[in-house]
Amino acid sequence: MSLTREKDVWEPISVQHYGQSLRLLTDELWAEGANRDIILTATILLCSHDVLAFPDADYQRLLYGGRTLIEADFDAIDTSDLSRASFWIYARQDVSLALENERPTLIPPKEWPPVPSPEETQEDALARRMLWLLARVIEVRFDGRSDADGKEQDELIFDLTSELFDWSMSIPGHANGVEVEDDLDLADDLEQTWFCVPSSAAGYLYSHLADILRLEFWRSRPTSPISDDLLDAALSGHALKIASICLSPGVSDGVLTVAVDPLFYAAKHCESLSLKARIWALLEDIERRLGIHTRNKVSRLQSQWVSTAEAAA
C-alpha cells in the first residue's frame, strides 16, 4: 500500500498478476464442477484491485459479472460464510459505484439476500442493515425514470425516513459512538467521536450519508415539505457528524476505508471552507496511505467550490 503513489514500481507487477488472475478466473468459469463460492470471491477480489488502481470500465464489467453470479442463485448466497462475506463486500462496492454514477445499484435492494432484521444489535449486522437502507435511499434519490411517479417517490422517502429513524433508535449503548471530552480542540465545530468497533462507525457514516441523500431529494422537489433554511442546516449538521467521526484522532483505517463516499458528500455540504479543505486533505491521505482512489472526488469537490465561489462573486 505504501507504493500506491509509485505507479512505475507497482503497476507492471500488478498488471501481470491481474491479467493472470483474470485468465484463471475465466478458465474456472468454464471448468466442470467449478466452485461457485470461489468464483464469486475471486470476482469480488478483482473488483477490489480495481478500486485500488482506478475504478474504470474493467471495474464496472467485473461488478456486472458479480451481479450475474449472484443473481444466478440468490438462495446460495446465504449457504456459506464465504458467500455471505463476498456478497456484502460486493454490495458495498455496488453502492459506491451507484453513488459515483448517480444511479441505483446494479442489484436492486429488494432483491438482496436476507438482510439483518431490526432486532439484530450486533455491530456488523447494524452496519449491513444500514447499507441496505442506504441502497434504497439511493434508488429513490437517483431514479432517472421519466415515468417515475412523483407522489410515489415522496411516499417512499417518507417511509425510508421512518426506517432510518427506527434504525437510529435501535442502536444499543455498546454500538454508539462516544463523544470524547478533553482539551484537544478539533476546530470547525467538530466533536471528537470514538467507536470501539469500526463497523459501528461504518453504520453511522452510512446513516448520515443516507440522510444527506434524503435531504437532497427534498431539495430537488418543486414542492418540498422542508424549507430551504432547514434543509441547509440539516445537511450541514450531517456533514459535520461525518467529519467528526473521520477527523477524530485515532480513527481506524477500517473506518476510513468505507468513509470515502460519506466524506465526499460531507465536503459538498459543510459550510466552512476550512473544514472542506481538511476533508480534501483527508481524502488525499486515504489514497496515499490506503491506496483507495480518491483524486477524482477531490478534484470534483474543488471544482465545485470554485464554481460556487465564482457564482457568489
Side-chain angles (χ1 to χ4, degrees):
M1 291 298 183
S2 63
L3 297 175
T4 52
R5 299 193 72 173
E6 305 296 334
K7 198 171 183 179
D8 293 339
V9 175
W10 64 263
E11 187 175 48
I13 300 172
S14 173
V15 169
Q16 177 185 343
H17 287 292
Y18 180 86
Q20 182 181 10
S21 299
L22 201 55
R23 287 192 296 273
L24 290 171
L25 176 60
T26 303
D27 292 342
E28 187 69 15
L29 283 169
W30 297 102
E32 185 176 350
N35 187 312
R36 184 183 173 283
D37 284 355
I38 292 176
I39 290 174
L40 177 59
T41 302
T43 302
I44 303 306
L45 288 174
L46 287 173
C47 287
S48 299
H49 169 276
D50 283 339
V51 171
L52 293 176
F54 183 79
D56 56 6
D58 285 340
Y59 173 62
Q60 298 195 38
R61 280 194 290 269
L62 282 167
L63 275 182
Y64 275 99
R67 180 186 67 174
T68 301
L69 290 170
I70 292 167
E71 290 180 337
D73 190 357
F74 271 113
D75 293 336
I77 292 296
D78 212 37
T79 59
S80 74
D81 291 340
L82 184 60
S83 287
R84 279 191 293 272
S86 296
F87 171 77
W88 286 104
I89 294 171
Y90 174 89
R92 203 166 65 202
Q93 295 181 357
D94 193 6
V95 163
S96 184
L97 184 64
L99 289 167
E100 180 70 23
N101 294 333
E102 296 189 350
R103 56 144 182 79
T105 52
L106 295 177
I107 299 180
K110 65 181 179 182
E111 297 178 8
W112 286 21
V115 174
S117 71
E119 288 72 34
E120 295 188 55
T121 57
Q122 191 263 346
E123 291 90 343
D124 189 54
L126 288 165
R128 282 183 279 131
R129 181 169 182 80
M130 178 46 64
L131 181 64
W132 174 68
L133 290 170
L134 173 58
R136 290 171 59 198
V137 174
I138 290 170
E139 188 174 44
V140 180
R141 172 69 180 90
F142 298 122
D143 187 346
R145 295 176 301 161
S146 59
D147 61 342
D149 186 326
K151 184 177 180 181
E152 179 186 352
Q153 299 299 88
D154 291 356
E155 290 174 353
L156 286 172
I157 283 292
F158 278 126
D159 291 342
L160 282 166
T161 300
S162 177
E163 290 190 60
L164 290 169
F165 177 78
D166 290 343
W167 180 89
S168 66
M169 291 295 99
S170 70
I171 304 297
H174 63 81
N176 270 313
V178 178
E179 291 186 5
V180 181
E181 296 184 6
D182 57 22
D183 296 331
L184 182 64
D185 183 9
L186 297 182
D188 296 312
D189 294 323
L190 296 181
E191 297 175 343
Q192 186 175 347
T193 309
W194 179 81
F195 287 87
C196 178
V197 180
S199 56
S200 293
Y204 271 97
L205 290 172
Y206 294 148
S207 172
H208 290 301
L209 176 53
D211 276 320
I212 285 175
L213 293 171
R214 174 180 62 83
L215 293 165
E216 284 188 347
F217 170 85
W218 286 124
R219 174 176 275 176
S220 70
R221 307 302 281 176
T223 55
S224 170
I226 310 174
S227 69
D228 287 345
D229 288 346
L230 288 177
L231 281 173
D232 289 342
L235 285 165
S236 178
H238 288 295
L240 201 60
K241 290 291 187 181
I242 291 171
S244 290
I245 293 171
C246 297
L247 289 168
S248 288
V251 62
S252 73
D253 289 345
V255 173
L256 294 179
T257 57
V258 299
V260 172
D261 291 312
L263 282 169
F264 175 80
Y265 277 86
K268 281 178 62 178
H269 293 291
C270 64
E271 296 178 351
S272 163
L273 176 57
S274 168
L275 184 53
K276 287 180 186 290
R278 291 173 69 181
I279 293 175
W280 300 342
L282 178 57
L283 286 169
E284 290 173 341
D285 185 61
I286 288 173
E287 176 161 344
R288 179 181 58 81
R289 291 193 308 104
L290 305 180
I292 299 171
H293 189 85
T294 64
R295 73 192 71 169
N296 281 6
K297 284 183 168 57
V298 173
S299 178
R300 286 166 57 192
L301 288 168
Q302 292 172 340
S303 297
Q304 178 198 44
W305 178 80
V306 170
S307 298
T308 303
E310 289 176 346

